[in-house]
Amino acid sequence: MSVNGLFSTFAPMPEHKLYIETYGCQMNVVDSEVVAAILQQYHYQLTEDINEADLVLVNTCSIRDNAEQRVKSRLRDFRKLKEQKRSVSIGVIGCMAERLKEKLLEDELIVDLVVGPDAYRKLPELLQKVESGQKGINTILSLKETYDDIQPVRMDRNHVTSFVSIMRGCNNFCAYCVVPGTRGRERSRDPETIVMEATELFSKGYREVTLLGQNVNSYHWNEGDSLLKFEKLLERVAHIHPSFRVRFATSHPKDMSDDLLKVISQYPNLCKSIHLPVQSGSTTVLQRMKRRYTREHYMERISAIRDYLPGASITTDIITGFCGESEEEHQQTLRLMEWAQYDFAYMFKYSERPETFAAEKLKDDVPETVKTRRLNEIIELQGKLSLESKKRDVGQTFKVLVEGTSKKSEEQLYGRTSQNKVVVFPKNDLKPGDYTDVTISACTSATLIGH
Ligand code: 5AD
Ligand code: SF4
């Protein structure tokens, strides 16, 4: 399906050049591809050269203050661009657009267009306003929008791995998190359109898809009288082809069911890699975070993953220095990390976000120096765990999907194991999209090296 016909009320336009810069999560990457598809119908062609662009869009993230600061500094760069070429329009889209709304038009005089994550279909009309010298803004959130009829214009570089968005928004309201505010309520996408989009990727030569959602394992869809849950959808996608790998992100521990783990264990092409954000190893911190599970429940879910999926990798997200975090609560996070033996982790200092529960009701009282020290301890421990995880793979053979040429040498390729670990190995006659068995001979904390 396409967006043909949507713009029949608009006169045909001469060709314009669109440059998109994307910050934040993988969801934003797909959203940029959706935006490119919508604007392609309006005669905007993508360019990688910002200097030839007629429209520059920044797809933004609000998750931590430093993500927003990075975009603000980028907007200052764009001021110079606009001075050189007055005809260029600048748009802010995504989570910052939703959070800051008109403020972006007031503060940054150069911004012409502000569009929230659920309003991308309105881009063509908003651009008409901009073309007539006005500012364009739409930040209305929707209970239904999933862009399920829009085929994204793929912007990946390897043409082997891609993403399909299967649900949008979030209903969890974790105390620290801006996402329910910027992306609205949770809604799942029609499974038929998901399977169609994934099948199309496979037929174009892609060999891996990651199903995306802010809370992906709470996906559900009513089919007549029956409920299609995430594991059933996963099974349908797994059936597309045995050599089409499937991943998913991001899961919430409360929805990591045995049924889901059982399905993953039954299909070799469902990747044996689970990303399960813990955020904190302390039940009292988890309560203040409104995470809706305890340390014990989380540990029980990790044990279930190990039982159903022996050899699977487990990765996580951790926030350190959340409101009121004591030294003992911090130590509990370190001890949980050791216990879980995470293969990899994304680790962050707590950053207070306006209008969240924590910003309004809790005190951001862990001093910056303490947050930094705790983060360093967490990073150091994870460095050790990541290296141990890679060392366990030395001597073993893994089926690797080739993704491209290694950055360090033209003679080497890189790819990933089912466990999502990066492997570098000699080129031989292989090309991106091939599968090959690689025996691991050495490693660093980030990469496996094999032959
Ligand atoms: N401060 C720091 N980290 C945060 N995350 C989400 N909100 C915040 C915040 N306010 C982290 C969580 C989440 C990941 C995407 O970002 O760990 O899982
Ligand atoms: Fe950033 Fe969250 Fe928005 Fe993704 S959903 S762009 S991580 S704020």
Side-chain angles (χ1 to χ4, degrees), residues 391-417:
K391 279 187 179 163
R392 284 193 293 273
D393 294 340
V394 174
Q396 295 193 53
T397 301
F398 293 91
K399 188 174 177 184
V400 170
L401 172 59
V402 183
E403 289 185 20
T405 306
S406 155
K407 272 191 216 128
K408 291 199 182 134
S409 158
E410 279 289 311
E411 295 312 305
Q412 302 270 313
L413 294 173
Y414 78 93
R416 271 164 215 271
T417 64

Side-chain angles (χ1 to χ4, degrees), residues 248-405:
F248 56 91
T250 289
S251 306
H252 192 289
K254 75 176 165 51
D255 300 309
M256 185 48 73
S257 67
D258 282 4
D259 288 344
L260 171 55
L261 295 173
K262 228 176 272 172
V263 166
I264 299 170
S265 74
Q266 284 161 358
Y267 293 84
N269 59 330
L270 292 180
C271 288
K272 305 299 178 275
S273 161
I274 304 285
H275 185 63
L276 200 62
V278 64
Q279 313 300 3
S280 167
S282 148
T283 296
T284 41
V285 174
L286 290 169
Q287 270 168 352
R288 292 201 290 282
M289 286 179 164
K290 293 181 169 285
R291 285 291 285 173
R292 299 197 264 174
Y293 55 86
T294 59
R295 172 187 176 90
E296 289 68 34
H297 174 80
Y298 183 89
M299 290 170 82
E300 191 274 324
R301 288 294 80 203
I302 296 284
S303 300
I305 296 170
R306 299 259 182 251
D307 288 346
Y308 281 105
L309 310 172
S313 66
I314 303 181
T315 59
T316 201
D317 293 351
I318 297 171
I319 300 175
T320 191
F322 186 65
C323 309
E325 187 189 66
S326 68
E327 206 51 39
E328 170 52 24
E329 287 168 334
H330 166 61
Q331 291 297 327
Q332 288 194 11
T333 298
L334 293 171
R335 287 200 290 272
L336 181 73
M337 290 170 71
E338 289 256 19
W339 177 84
Q341 297 274 305
Y342 290 118
D343 296 274
F344 178 81
Y346 295 100
M347 299 156 282
F348 312 103
K349 274 191 238 179
Y350 171 58
S351 161
E352 186 178 87
R353 308 310 294 127
E355 290 172 51
T356 56
F357 179 87
E360 285 175 0
K361 302 275 190 243
L362 305 174
K363 244 185 152 166
D364 182 14
D365 54 0
V366 177
E368 190 58 27
T369 48
V370 176
K371 282 185 187 173
T372 304
R373 195 251 303 149
R374 288 181 188 166
L375 181 65
N376 286 339
E377 287 173 11
I378 285 172
I379 291 173
E380 194 186 342
L381 173 57
Q382 187 52 48
K384 194 183 101 195
L385 296 176
S386 296
L387 182 62
E388 281 169 11
S389 146
K390 304 287 186 308
K391 279 187 179 163
R392 284 193 293 273
D393 294 340
V394 174
Q396 295 193 53
T397 301
F398 293 91
K399 188 174 177 184
V400 170
L401 172 59
V402 183
E403 289 185 20
T405 306

Side-chain angles (χ1 to χ4, degrees), residues 23-28 60-63 95 178-179 182-183 214:
Y23 294 86
C25 60
Q26 291 160 338
M27 202 76 181
N28 260 15
T60 58
C61 173
S62 291
I63 199 102
C95 291
V178 78
V179 173
T182 60
R183 287 191 169 263
Q214 257 80 35

Side-chain angles (χ1 to χ4, degrees), residues 136-302:
I137 178 162
N138 189 323
T139 55
I140 298 170
L141 286 173
S142 154
L143 294 174
K144 292 206 189 90
E145 181 62 273
T146 58
Y147 301 109
D148 62 357
D149 58 328
I150 295 177
Q151 197 163 33
V153 173
R154 300 293 168 189
M155 290 195 255
D156 60 273
R157 295 190 183 271
N158 64 19
H159 303 301
V160 176
T161 62
S162 192
F163 303 104
V164 170
S165 157
I166 68 161
M167 48 108 62
R168 296 178 75 83
C170 183
N171 287 350
N172 287 336
F173 288 95
C174 299
Y176 50 79
C177 191
V178 78
V179 173
T182 60
R183 287 191 169 263
R185 293 296 66 73
E186 181 182 302
R187 65 217 95 121
S188 294
R189 173 178 172 185
D190 182 340
E192 243 181 74
T193 68
I194 295 170
V195 174
M196 232 165 63
E197 192 178 319
T199 307
E200 171 98 16
L201 281 172
F202 182 74
S203 68
K204 284 186 177 154
Y206 286 83
R207 288 297 170 263
E208 183 185 293
V209 65
T210 303
L211 306 181
L212 291 180
Q214 257 80 35
N215 191 359
V216 76
N217 52 348
S218 83
Y219 174 93
H220 59 276
W221 185 261
N222 287 316
E223 284 191 321
D225 291 340
S226 69
L227 187 67
L228 182 86
K229 291 175 80 173
F230 179 60
E231 56 271 19
K232 284 282 167 220
L233 174 74
L234 205 55
E235 225 170 343
R236 285 192 195 174
V237 182
H239 276 140
I240 291 173
H241 199 279
S243 58
F244 193 39
R245 277 185 173 175
V246 188
R247 304 184 187 278
F248 56 91
T250 289
S251 306
H252 192 289
K254 75 176 165 51
D255 300 309
M256 185 48 73
S257 67
D258 282 4
D259 288 344
L260 171 55
L261 295 173
K262 228 176 272 172
V263 166
I264 299 170
S265 74
Q266 284 161 358
Y267 293 84
N269 59 330
L270 292 180
C271 288
K272 305 299 178 275
S273 161
I274 304 285
H275 185 63
L276 200 62
V278 64
Q279 313 300 3
S280 167
S282 148
T283 296
T284 41
V285 174
L286 290 169
Q287 270 168 352
R288 292 201 290 282
M289 286 179 164
K290 293 181 169 285
R291 285 291 285 173
R292 299 197 264 174
Y293 55 86
T294 59
R295 172 187 176 90
E296 289 68 34
H297 174 80
Y298 183 89
M299 290 170 82
E300 191 274 324
R301 288 294 80 203
I302 296 284

